[in-house]
Amino acid sequence: MSYPTNRMRRMRKTKGIRALFQETRLSASDFVLPLFVVEGLKGSEAIDSMPGVRRHSLTSLIHEAKQAYSLGIPAVLLFGLPKAKDALGTQAYAKAGIVQKAVRLLKKEIPGLVVITDVCACEYTSHGHCGVLNGKEVDNDTTLVLLQNIALSHAEAGADMVAPSDMMDGRVGAIRKALDKDGYNDTLLLSYAAKFASAFYGPFRDAADSTPAFGDRKTYQMPSTNAREAMREIQLDLEEGADAVMVKPALTALDLIARAKHRFLAPVWAYHVSGEYSMIKAAGKLGWLNEEAAMAESLLAIKRAGADRIITYWAKEAAKYFASA
Ligand code: PBG
């Protein structure tokens, strides 16, 4: 039966009718807010390449997290910028390191907030790579020990969930084993499972001071051309004990979010990354598009593709937007 019996426009006639037929919805509880915390910083500072996002001191971090939590955002994802870097990224697992301090403070000040920590070495290594070098290569198995130490130090500080973003082979299993051995059986593990070597991390590397000093991340992060390989990465991480898996970036991998959602029963999260955020911000500033509408459309597309949760720098704005949309 077709036109004129069927008229699709009937479902679009008024705002109320459109709302009644809306298939995909978002609210504050869909979002996770990434936060940058800097050792020794006073106050907070703007990030040029990410308008609206700031690097935080411990004090301003708590303020920002409280705001997010009061808007209904259930979780934050923490990234730390240490004062000193070295070849082995030792500050990443320091007991009194910046992330460890931030986790303790967040859990004390906002007990209900779920605290997730990014587990990676690139903000802590002098060379900016996500692991320990052997010559010019990132050595997989040595890096696993480093990652175990980082994850353990985060769990000790009270992190609810650790999120390895390094893309080494076997890291999920290695971290799970280390956590369980020390009694952290309940610490959740979110794996950046299908993480692509992407140009869209550019602004983040500015923000986190984590640009590799030489080469690129293509020997560990995935090529964006490979969908079946992405499913294998996810499968392996689930076998190794990941509680939830992530696809990253989001907008250039909507097909993979959808595929992963169909294929696996585990929660599939998506990271709407810095470049995806900043390009809309930039176009919005130039007056080339409506920033708020572009934000909403992007986030809804990620949800429609199948993302169970979305990590986004827009979490606070989006929580407000969708509360009144
Ligand atoms: C650390 C890490 C990166 C991002 C999250 N964790 C950068 C990278 O892999 O180079 C990117 C996040 C973003 O762009 O918003 N490995």
Side-chain angles (χ1 to χ4, degrees):
M1 202 83 78
S2 194
Y3 172 86
T5 309
N6 272 306
R7 287 180 183 270
M8 297 304 278
R9 288 185 58 193
R10 263 181 222 134
M11 292 187 288
R12 299 170 198 156
K13 196 148 181 83
T14 67
K15 196 167 181 235
I17 290 172
R18 287 194 294 275
L20 203 58
F21 288 100
Q22 184 170 332
E23 296 178 27
T24 307
R25 278 170 203 289
L26 282 168
S27 67
S29 60
D30 285 292
F31 304 121
V32 174
L33 177 66
L35 291 171
F36 300 102
V37 59
V38 185
E39 192 167 28
L41 185 70
K42 298 262 175 291
S44 66
E45 63 186 15
I47 300 162
D48 289 345
S49 55
M50 299 179 74
V53 181
R54 303 185 74 80
R55 291 189 201 89
H56 291 283
S57 60
L58 286 168
T59 311
S60 72
L61 178 85
I62 297 298
H63 182 72
E64 178 77 0
K66 276 188 178 159
Q67 272 187 6
Y69 190 60
S70 68
L71 287 166
I73 294 161
V76 296
L77 171 61
L78 275 186
F79 294 93
L81 282 79
K83 252 191 190 147
K85 303 183 188 234
D86 57 46
L88 299 176
T90 56
Q91 282 305 304
Y93 57 88
K95 259 201 161 55
I98 184 62
V99 163
Q100 292 78 0
K101 275 190 187 161
V103 171
R104 282 192 197 97
L105 203 58
L106 281 167
K107 292 308 296 182
K108 181 166 150 259
E109 297 287 327
I110 323 169
L113 180 73
V114 176
V115 176
I116 313 173
T117 55
D118 184 84
V119 173
C120 194
C122 63
E123 295 106 17
Y124 301 88
T125 51
S126 40
H127 44 75
H129 277 287
C130 300
V132 180
L133 293 184
N134 180 6
K136 297 268 172 201
E137 289 280 312
V138 175
D139 189 81
N140 194 87
D141 296 6
T142 321
T143 300
L144 294 185
V145 181
L146 173 60
L147 295 168
Q148 286 177 316
N149 289 334
I150 301 174
L152 261 183
S153 74
H154 293 176
E156 266 165 28
D160 297 289
M161 187 184 279
V162 293
S165 66
D166 53 282
M167 289 299 281
M168 297 302 123
D169 289 321
R171 81 272 172 71
V172 171
I175 290 172
R176 186 73 271 163
K177 198 169 136 204
L179 290 173
D180 290 352
K181 186 167 155 276
D182 278 18
Y184 297 104
N185 312 65
D186 288 335
T187 304
L188 290 151
L189 213 159
L190 162 68
S191 167
Y192 286 69
K195 175 171 175 178
F196 295 96
S198 168
F200 292 99
Y201 308 154
F204 172 96
R205 291 183 190 166
D206 231 21
D209 187 28
S210 66
T211 308
F214 62 89
D216 52 39
R217 304 210 200 286
K218 288 184 179 162
T219 67
Y220 39 106
Q221 298 180 350
M222 277 196 55
S224 63
T225 48
N226 295 3
R228 287 161 56 80
E229 187 180 332
M231 295 305 111
R232 262 186 99 192
E233 283 282 5
I234 292 173
Q235 185 177 344
L236 289 168
D237 285 1
L238 289 172
E239 283 167 9
E240 288 177 33
D243 297 292
V245 290
M246 189 204 292
V247 174
K248 176 187 175 197
L251 289 181
T252 52
L254 292 179
D255 57 328
L256 303 177
I257 297 171
R259 252 198 237 198
K261 187 62 178 281
H262 285 293
R263 195 176 179 113
F264 303 105
L265 294 174
V268 175
W269 293 20
Y271 199 144
H272 187 41
V273 301
S274 57
E276 303 179 89
Y277 168 88
S278 294
M279 65 184 176
I280 292 176
K281 277 274 171 192
K285 273 186 186 299
L286 286 166
W288 289 355
L289 49 68
N290 176 331
E291 183 191 316
E292 210 175 44
M295 166 194 80
E297 189 175 327
S298 302
L299 294 171
L300 283 165
I302 297 166
K303 174 88 183 268
R304 190 194 65 227
D308 292 295
R309 289 292 178 276
I310 304 170
I311 298 163
T312 172
Y313 301 97
W314 261 310
K316 275 171 48 189
E317 290 80 359
K320 286 183 215 158
Y321 178 92
F322 289 108
S324 58

